[in-house]
Amino acid sequence: MSMAAPTAVVVLDRGNNTTCTVNLHGATVVSWRVNNQEQLFVSKQALFDGKKAIRGGIPIVFPHFGPWPLGPQHGFARTSRWHLEKAPERLPSGDIEAIFVLMDSEYTHQFWKYSFRLTYRLILREKELHFNIGVYNPLGSQDTFSFTLLLHTYFKCPDVRKCQITGMHGCTFIDKTRDGAVYQEGRDVVMINEWTDRIYQNTPQEHIITNVVSGRKMRIQKFNLPDTVVWNPWEHKAKEIADFGDEEFPNMICVEAGNVSTGIILPPNTVFEASQILQVM
Ligand code: TA6
């Protein structure tokens, strides 16, 4: 008798149609519904074959943001099978908590020799989703390693051209649409009306995105994640992405909290912690 594949999806259900769904492939949050309103974008072409990163939701980028000579772009965390360490549980506050873990394995060692342990704790509140990430270099490990880390969040929106993103004014950014040239943001709010792929550095802890789902605002708070990537492939690049619909680019905006400008150096027996809070306003 063949054993059924273990459940690949974990649902945090707070009631009132407020839920968060996590695919164990990459511990990718693939849905966050607040009073039955989906806040995240997942492409209709997204693949769930366990081979490719899921196109949408909140992929976890570790241990390397961007093209990586040692392995897959954006690292292996988003294409690894994570373990559910703590099943969804209601806290005294009424919020729902779940914890996911990824440890080094034969799969990860083919790219990166280091021992590590990633913990990913989600807390679903009434109109907020909290993320706490721990990166551990275990006791007994001989090696110091460095890594970059980012939450690659795809927010859903009716029309990206109407979104305004606060919190970038004065920040230096690397513009990947202009060969990685470095500029300074002069605008109080960033708006998107073309292919946009920018790594804003040392950004404030808070961003607000206007005109997301139902014309609401999304508040992003981030801790120990000093960089913010803003991405929309626009029409031309969207056509080049197989698991992204040609007509989908107006309905998403990636605003990604990360620590990607300089590698985080982690000696043995130490931990790096970072967190993010998303709030529907
Ligand atoms: O976060 C922006 C970015 O680095 C873009 O350059 C684009 O490559 C995007 O990530 C998606 O990357 P992926 O490997 O998921 O196709």
Side-chain angles (χ1 to χ4, degrees):
M1 177 182 81
S2 66
M3 298 293 286
T7 310
V9 166
V10 176
V11 178
L12 289 73
D13 186 343
R14 197 179 187 279
N16 285 335
N17 292 309
T18 292
T19 58
C20 172
T21 304
V22 183
N23 192 310
L24 291 179
H25 179 60
T28 310
V29 175
V30 291
S31 171
W32 171 33
R33 301 182 79 88
V34 176
N35 302 130
N36 215 20
Q37 278 284 355
E38 180 58 64
Q39 304 299 317
L40 303 177
F41 166 89
V42 175
S43 171
K44 293 183 183 59
Q45 319 288 339
L47 298 173
F48 295 87
D49 60 3
K51 296 189 183 72
K52 205 178 174 329
I54 295 169
R55 177 66 63 191
I58 309 177
I60 299 169
V61 172
F62 173 88
H64 188 89
F65 173 78
W68 190 29
L70 298 181
Q73 165 154 289
H74 289 337
F76 47 63
R78 64 177 187 166
T79 53
S80 292
R81 175 76 180 223
W82 286 58
H83 168 70
L84 176 62
E85 170 99 347
K86 179 182 176 189
E89 183 184 307
R90 191 174 292 278
L91 301 173
S93 61
D95 302 326
I96 308 295
E97 178 190 61
I99 298 176
F100 304 84
V101 165
L102 178 68
M103 295 178 67
D104 59 289
S105 63
E106 212 175 294
Y107 172 66
T108 65
H109 291 156
Q110 61 184 312
F111 309 112
W112 207 54
K113 66 177 182 179
Y114 302 107
S115 303
F116 68 87
R117 177 182 163 89
L118 275 186
T119 59
Y120 188 46
R121 177 169 172 254
L122 296 180
I123 298 178
L124 178 64
R125 307 197 64 186
E126 192 181 354
K127 295 195 182 315
E128 298 173 14
L129 188 54
H130 292 220
F131 308 74
N132 296 294
I133 302 172
V135 182
Y136 296 82
N137 187 344
L139 179 64
S141 136
Q142 306 303 315
D143 302 310
T144 290
F145 60 71
S146 87
F147 64 94
T148 51
L149 173 72
L150 172 131
L151 291 172
H152 200 292
T153 309
Y154 289 72
F155 294 100
K156 183 176 176 162
C157 57
D159 182 351
V160 69
R161 285 161 286 218
K162 296 194 170 64
C163 294
Q164 296 187 337
I165 310 163
T166 69
M168 312 292 180
H169 183 253
C171 294
T172 299
F173 66 92
I174 296 166
D175 190 337
K176 288 167 65 173
T177 71
R178 287 184 279 183
D179 298 325
V182 179
Y183 300 91
Q184 193 173 28
E185 183 54 69
R187 297 171 291 177
D188 283 335
V189 293
V190 167
M191 295 191 76
I192 310 290
N193 55 20
E194 60 183 352
W195 171 35
T196 304
D197 194 351
R198 300 177 168 197
I199 304 168
Y200 286 92
Q201 299 174 324
N202 295 315
T203 50
Q205 280 189 339
E206 178 175 303
H207 298 293
I208 305 272
I209 312 170
T210 66
N211 289 311
V212 292
V213 167
S214 315
R216 310 284 293 265
K217 292 184 179 128
M218 182 66 68
R219 183 180 183 214
I220 304 170
Q221 292 173 282
K222 56 193 180 75
F223 309 92
N224 224 6
L225 296 169
D227 305 311
T228 308
V229 174
V230 177
W231 177 60
N232 185 293
W234 216 251
E235 186 169 4
H236 173 65
K237 286 287 177 185
K239 287 191 167 68
E240 293 175 5
I241 304 172
D243 57 344
F244 192 103
D246 293 354
E247 313 305 325
E248 292 184 313
F249 68 92
N251 302 121
M252 52 74 68
I253 175 71
C254 278
V255 181
E256 311 159 18
N259 203 316
V260 299
S261 294
T262 55
I264 300 147
I265 301 191
L266 203 61
N269 197 22
T270 59
V271 61
F272 168 86
E273 292 183 297
S275 51
Q276 170 180 260
I277 299 173
L278 303 181
Q279 179 190 18
V280 175
M281 299 172 76

